[in-house]
């Protein structure tokens, strides 16, 4: 039914807020006034997956740990579960991945930001038992790298902030967002069609290759390849698209990787006979539009 992402500094009180939210939701679901479907409330944390704090000492160990978390999230997302993700979730790109997984599962999303100052985080961290502490350098690094959620981006919205002095979570505000709020449709890059044409793979390959070439040409025409900005992508005299490039050099290797991901998503969907919300238009123009949207969404999340 919904995925609720908790986010905040280390030792900011995220687990306490997750438990407060769980208690509130369970109380509302058992209230005689509730007339909705039967729903379970589940909390998922690093501890549930036996992920130790030491993994954050080394980026090489942290990456597979995040991948394990995302796998567990995908398994638990369902239309009869309110899933609370109790963790730092401090990287916006990772929160975007969670958002995409929730969209594919057809569930609502929201983010709860457990706010506190870096000084409060360190003070509270010092009171923890030794087994619940991070290394001093790791703690400083996690606080420095933390990317605060923003209501201006769709993967953090709707966003609810809980201040350190608040006695409880804003349950009355969160409830309607996860019970009757808007469900985001699946990412358009992974929408599939019913009975795609026989030449679809050729069309996918040819169209995405053309878009990659147009992006490279457009970037080379900029004053500086890392200046970013909106560029025009004229696929033909009738098919013209625009793309906002980030303020950095986008390499050919990166574009080729995005192209492979886009094509692979469609191949997998077709092989599994996944049916989209409506029959997809496999025309060159529609494929190009979806590929450009996919690239721009990825740039925004990075």
């Amino acid at each position: 039914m919904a995925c609720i992402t908790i986010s905040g500094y280390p030792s900011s009180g995220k687990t306490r807020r997750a438990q407060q939210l769980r208690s509130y939701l369970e109380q509302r679901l058992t209230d005689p006034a509730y007339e909705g479907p039967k729903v379970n409330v589940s909390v998922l944390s690093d501890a549930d997956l036996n992920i130790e704090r030491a993994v954050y000492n080394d980026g090489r160990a942290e990456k597979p740990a995040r991948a394990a978390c995302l796998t567990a999230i995908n398994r638990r997302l369902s239309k009869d579960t309110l899933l609370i993700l109790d963790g730092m979730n401090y990287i916006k790109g990772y929160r975007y991945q969670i958002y995409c997984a929730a969209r594919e599962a057809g569930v609502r999303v929201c983010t709860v930001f457990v706010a506190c100052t870096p000084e409060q985080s360190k003070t509270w961290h010092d009171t923890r038992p030794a087994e619940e502490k991070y290394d001093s350098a790791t703690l400083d690094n996690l606080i420095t790298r933390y990317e605060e959620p923003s209501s201006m981006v769709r993967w953090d919205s709707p966003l609810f902030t809980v201040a350190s002095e608040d006695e409880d979570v804003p349950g009355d505000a969160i409830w309607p967002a996860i019970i009757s709020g808007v469900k985001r449709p699946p990412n358009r890059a992974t929408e599939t069609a019913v009975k795609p044409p026989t030449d679809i793979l050729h069309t996918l390959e040819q169209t995405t290759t053309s878009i990659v070439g147009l992006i490279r040409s457009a970037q080379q025409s900029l004053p500086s390849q890392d200046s970013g900005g909106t560029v025009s992508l004229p696929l033909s005299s009738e098919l013209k698209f625009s793309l906002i490039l980030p303020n950095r050099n986008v390499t050919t290797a990166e574009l080729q990787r995005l192209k492979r991901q886009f094509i692979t998503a469609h191949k997998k969907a077709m092989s599994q006979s996944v049916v989209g919300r409506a029959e997809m238009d496999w025309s060159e123009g529609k494929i190009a539009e979806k590929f450009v949207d996919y690239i721009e969404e990825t740039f925004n999340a990075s």
Side-chain angles (χ1 to χ4, degrees), residues 155-222:
W155 54 87
D156 287 336
S157 299
L159 175 63
F160 303 93
T161 300
V162 187
S164 57
E165 62 271 16
D166 292 346
E167 293 185 2
D168 208 340
V169 294
D172 290 343
I174 295 173
W175 175 260
I178 60 177
I179 296 298
S180 58
V182 175
K183 289 183 182 179
R184 301 287 184 178
N187 190 311
R188 285 187 288 178
T190 57
E191 283 186 355
T192 57
V194 178
K195 297 181 180 179
T198 56
D199 62 345
I200 180 55
L201 295 182
H202 173 74
T203 304
L204 276 169
E205 178 67 33
Q206 187 176 55
T207 304
T208 52
T209 297
S210 298
I211 292 295
V212 168
L214 288 170
I215 294 173
R216 291 298 298 155
S217 297
Q219 189 174 39
Q220 291 170 3
S221 68
L222 295 172

Side-chain angles (χ1 to χ4, degrees), residues 92-110:
K92 66 179 181 180
Y94 179 61
R95 294 198 300 269
Y96 175 74
Q97 288 181 296
I98 295 173
Y99 164 80
C100 289
R103 288 173 66 183
E104 293 302 315
V107 301
R108 298 177 179 87
V109 297
C110 80

Side-chain angles (χ1 to χ4, degrees), residues 34-274:
Y34 174 68
E35 299 178 345
K38 184 178 180 180
V39 178
N40 300 313
V41 181
S42 176
V43 178
L44 181 64
S45 66
D46 284 1
D48 295 324
L49 302 175
N50 297 316
I51 295 175
E52 299 180 353
R53 283 167 169 73
V55 302
Y56 296 100
N57 298 341
D58 182 0
R60 291 171 297 181
E62 182 182 350
K63 188 173 181 179
R66 282 204 306 271
C69 285
L70 194 60
T71 298
I73 290 169
N74 275 291
R75 288 175 178 169
R76 295 204 187 185
L77 285 171
S78 72
K79 295 182 180 180
D80 62 356
T81 299
L82 294 174
L83 179 61
I84 302 172
L85 305 181
D86 173 18
M88 286 183 291
N89 300 311
Y90 68 101
I91 299 174
K92 66 179 181 180
Y94 179 61
R95 294 198 300 269
Y96 175 74
Q97 288 181 296
I98 295 173
Y99 164 80
C100 289
R103 288 173 66 183
E104 293 302 315
V107 301
R108 298 177 179 87
V109 297
C110 80
T111 303
V112 177
F113 173 40
V114 181
C116 75
T117 66
E119 292 72 23
Q120 287 175 317
S121 170
K122 293 178 180 180
T123 299
W124 294 334
H125 177 267
D126 289 342
T127 66
R128 297 289 180 92
E131 64 272 13
E132 295 183 9
K133 288 185 177 181
Y134 297 92
D135 288 350
S136 178
T138 300
L139 178 64
D140 290 337
N141 185 40
L142 289 171
I143 291 175
T144 300
R145 292 170 58 198
Y146 183 77
E147 296 176 315
E148 184 176 319
S150 170
S151 60
M152 300 298 292
V153 297
R154 58 189 175 279
W155 54 87
D156 287 336
S157 299
L159 175 63
F160 303 93
T161 300
V162 187
S164 57
E165 62 271 16
D166 292 346
E167 293 185 2
D168 208 340
V169 294
D172 290 343
I174 295 173
W175 175 260
I178 60 177
I179 296 298
S180 58
V182 175
K183 289 183 182 179
R184 301 287 184 178
N187 190 311
R188 285 187 288 178
T190 57
E191 283 186 355
T192 57
V194 178
K195 297 181 180 179
T198 56
D199 62 345
I200 180 55
L201 295 182
H202 173 74
T203 304
L204 276 169
E205 178 67 33
Q206 187 176 55
T207 304
T208 52
T209 297
S210 298
I211 292 295
V212 168
L214 288 170
I215 294 173
R216 291 298 298 155
S217 297
Q219 189 174 39
Q220 291 170 3
S221 68
L222 295 172
S224 170
Q225 289 197 15
D226 59 359
S227 62
T230 302
V231 297
S232 177
L233 306 174
L235 190 60
S236 68
S237 58
E238 294 82 18
L239 301 174
K240 298 180 181 180
F241 307 92
S242 62
L243 173 69
I244 301 177
L245 290 174
N247 295 322
R248 61 177 176 80
N249 181 38
V250 179
T251 65
T252 300
E254 181 179 3
L255 291 172
Q256 291 291 350
R257 176 175 57 81
L258 293 176
K259 170 190 164 185
R260 289 194 299 270
Q261 290 175 348
F262 181 84
I263 292 178
T264 299
H266 284 75
K267 286 182 177 179
K268 182 178 179 181
M270 286 187 291
S271 66
Q272 294 178 345
S273 300
V274 180

